[in-house]
Amino acid sequence: MEQQDTHSHGGMTKLVYMANQISTAFAQLPHAEAVEATRTHIRKFWDPRMRTKIAEHVAAGGEGLSPVALEAVQTLAAPAMAN
């Protein structure tokens, strides 16, 4: 049981790292454009399961995400919740 929890945490750590790396790639853009570019990249290139997991992480507080990555995932999740 404890081993499974560690694996889940490790998986989330990797997703947070990846989202932050994406947002860093767009750091030279104005904030709103960086958020949109990060959101678009995650929407286009991440598996739906990965998007679901990072959205759940944000719903639980989004610990470790940069401000741009956090906002990108929040805006990514908003339309999905409306459907």
Side-chain angles (χ1 to χ4, degrees):
M1 181 175 200
E2 198 169 319
Q3 191 175 34
Q4 186 177 22
D5 291 342
T6 302
H7 180 357
S8 295
H9 176 71
M12 186 53 61
T13 300
K14 180 68 172 175
L15 291 179
V16 167
Y17 173 80
M18 290 169 58
N20 286 340
Q21 287 295 102
I22 294 164
S23 67
T24 298
F26 300 115
Q28 78 284 2
L29 298 174
H31 180 81
E33 291 178 35
V35 169
E36 178 60 22
T38 301
R39 184 189 70 78
T40 298
H41 182 93
I42 291 171
R43 183 179 47 81
K44 284 184 176 181
F45 299 109
W46 282 28
D47 179 276
R49 292 168 293 182
M50 294 167 66
R51 293 193 308 262
T52 297
K53 286 185 181 194
I54 198 73
E56 290 170 353
H57 180 68
V58 167
E63 181 180 348
L65 287 168
S66 71
V68 169
L70 178 64
E71 192 173 336
V73 175
Q74 288 170 331
T75 61
L76 181 69
M81 298 229 180
N83 290 338

